[in-house]
Amino acid sequence: MGIRLISAASHLPKGRLTNFDLEKMVETSDEWIQQRTGLISRTIAEDETITEMAIEAGKKCLADLNQETIDKIKILIVTSASYLQVVPHVSASIVEPLGLNRDILAFDLNAGCTSYIYAMDIVEKYLKETDNYALVVASDKLSDYVDYTDRGTCILFGDGAAATLWSYTEKAEYYSINQTITNPDVLYREGKYVHMNGAEVFKFAVGTLPGLIEDVCEKGDVNVEDVDLFLLHQANGRIIESVARKFRLEDERFPVRYQNIGNTSSPSIPILMTQMLEENVLQKTENLILAGFGAGLSLGVILLKGNGQYVVK
Ligand code: COA
């Protein structure tokens, strides 16, 4: 028993911050940034809010669906690690703009960059054996919280949103492993700005992700080598390469597509999913891993097993 993806769409704001722009703001270089992160530029929301980006992504995701499907959406989760608006919650603000019905459980969820993965776990349990649909919209605007005089953080983050619609299916299988470790010193917001010990986050991700991926594969009775695609949080391309090397698997199974987007926090995985749909890769994937990690510290890994059955569109 599992869930299947009905539709996915992302919204990337038009504003752009290049490595050359950053060279003028802090002591850094295009060469250093590309070597350490693979990044060339980042999408920046400028005047657009998290709510507006969430609406844009949500509308695109629902655009081709009929009213019967829309009527079956009974849960909406908006994930973010950078809410400016706490009350009313963003999810409540987007129910009507997205044309959703009022009989809906709508709430916001923040678990740093792992938010989307944790939302998926709630969705899977909520949908079980029903014919309801669940909409998860991830929207983050970290540029509101980045100190553009701190070269250790400002090179990394971009803004964006992505929406995914899910339903229950008997044909696919779903397995997950979540972890939460109390460590408020590695990645946190104090006052206006995000502070990060980048090297520690790097070590944490590279040190823990491979073990959790193995564990979730064991749960689902799948060999790691038989996972076709690993969609890992696009935090830093080098983290992803390092996990691929640990398993001695080809880089193609570990796509890195954030070079001109940046680390967007919670939308990074669903943005990557939309890219993989556009590239016609997700549709052909039998076993799929989704993995997030970030502030908290938090970690979540999902195995979707289902012979392409989890993707409808
Ligand atoms: N340009 C040039 N030099 C820089 C720099 C920049 N933008 N940022 C840091 N440096 C310098 C440091 O001051 C340090 O200099 P020193 O050796 O003279 O002290 C040196 O580069 C190495 O710093 P370090 O922080 O160890 O670099 P790094 O290789 O770890 O790369 C990150 C920094 C941020 C790119 C990297 O740690 C990273 O991406 N970590 C993961 C962060 C992450 O995933 N966060 C999100 C989680 S959701």
Side-chain angles (χ1 to χ4, degrees):
M1 292 186 297
I3 50 175
R4 61 183 184 155
L5 182 64
I6 305 295
S7 174
S10 56
H11 169 72
L12 296 172
K14 293 211 164 57
R16 192 152 289 282
L17 184 69
T18 66
N19 292 352
F20 297 108
D21 296 328
L22 286 165
E23 280 183 354
K24 294 178 201 137
M25 297 156 77
V26 288
E27 208 183 318
T28 192
S29 67
D30 172 53
E31 193 190 351
W32 192 95
I33 299 171
Q34 288 214 40
Q35 248 178 28
R36 302 286 176 126
T37 68
L39 282 170
I40 298 164
S41 69
R42 302 117 198 99
T43 46
I44 300 293
E46 294 171 350
D47 292 339
E48 238 178 321
T49 64
I50 285 171
T51 307
E52 287 162 344
M53 289 196 291
I55 292 170
E56 287 301 315
K59 277 186 177 165
K60 275 197 226 169
C61 179
L62 303 180
D64 296 334
L65 303 168
N66 59 31
Q67 193 57 42
E68 201 188 327
T69 303
I70 305 279
D71 289 346
K72 286 184 181 167
I73 302 175
K74 300 295 183 197
I75 179 168
L76 163 67
I77 306 179
V78 174
T79 68
S80 190
S82 51
Y83 297 110
L84 266 186
Q85 174 189 323
V86 178
V87 180
H89 42 303
V90 175
S91 48
S93 306
I94 73 171
V95 165
E96 285 193 16
L98 291 185
L100 302 173
N101 291 335
R102 288 181 179 184
D103 61 335
I104 189 164
L105 174 67
F107 62 94
D108 295 355
L109 187 159
N110 169 25
C113 297
T114 318
S115 305
Y116 179 78
I117 297 291
Y118 287 0
M120 291 293 303
D121 232 34
I122 294 170
V123 157
E124 192 265 340
K125 284 164 186 64
Y126 192 83
L127 291 179
K128 202 164 268 175
E129 290 168 21
T130 73
D131 68 346
N132 294 334
Y133 287 68
L135 181 62
V136 182
V137 187
S139 185
D140 260 301
K141 188 182 177 187
L142 281 166
S143 63
D144 276 342
Y145 298 111
V146 167
D147 176 358
Y148 285 99
T149 66
D150 173 10
R151 66 180 183 171
T153 53
C154 70
I155 54 159
L156 214 53
F157 297 107
D159 303 329
T164 50
L165 185 72
W166 298 87
S167 75
Y168 168 77
T169 176
E170 277 179 357
K171 290 177 188 158
E173 293 174 38
Y174 177 103
Y175 302 92
S176 68
I177 291 192
N178 298 306
Q179 275 193 5
T180 308
I181 302 153
T182 302
N183 185 340
D185 302 324
V186 175
L187 182 52
Y188 59 97
R189 199 174 93 207
E190 193 173 75
K192 182 160 168 46
Y193 296 128
V194 168
H195 301 271
M196 176 177 74
N197 183 332
E200 282 302 314
V201 177
F202 200 102
K203 269 191 264 170
F204 162 70
V206 169
T208 49
L209 273 178
L212 288 192
I213 290 173
E214 280 168 351
D215 290 349
V216 84
C217 284
E218 199 180 317
K219 245 180 155 179
D221 198 20
V222 167
N223 293 322
V224 178
E225 306 82 66
D226 294 330
V227 174
D228 308 291
L229 198 62
F230 298 78
L231 301 186
L232 308 190
H233 171 40
Q234 306 277 292
N236 179 322
R238 276 171 53 229
I239 294 178
I240 297 169
E241 282 161 23
S242 170
V243 175
R245 270 201 303 275
K246 280 208 174 180
F247 290 121
R248 294 198 172 85
L249 294 172
E250 321 84 80
D251 287 347
E252 294 71 54
R253 293 202 223 180
F254 290 80
V256 178
R257 295 285 189 284
Y258 87 140
Q259 293 84 342
N260 285 297
I261 298 173
N263 174 345
T264 53
S265 192
S266 79
S268 102
I269 295 168
I271 288 172
L272 184 60
M273 287 169 74
T274 62
Q275 290 166 317
M276 291 296 104
L277 276 172
E278 282 160 15
E279 293 178 28
N280 208 22
V281 172
L282 203 58
Q283 296 88 329
K284 295 179 185 153
T285 302
E286 185 164 341
N287 298 316
L288 170 71
I289 290 273
L290 306 176
F293 61 89
L297 298 167
S298 53
L299 280 156
V301 183
I302 293 169
L303 168 67
L304 292 172
K305 188 178 162 187
N307 197 15
Q309 294 290 344
Y310 50 77
V311 180
V312 166
K313 195 165 119 175

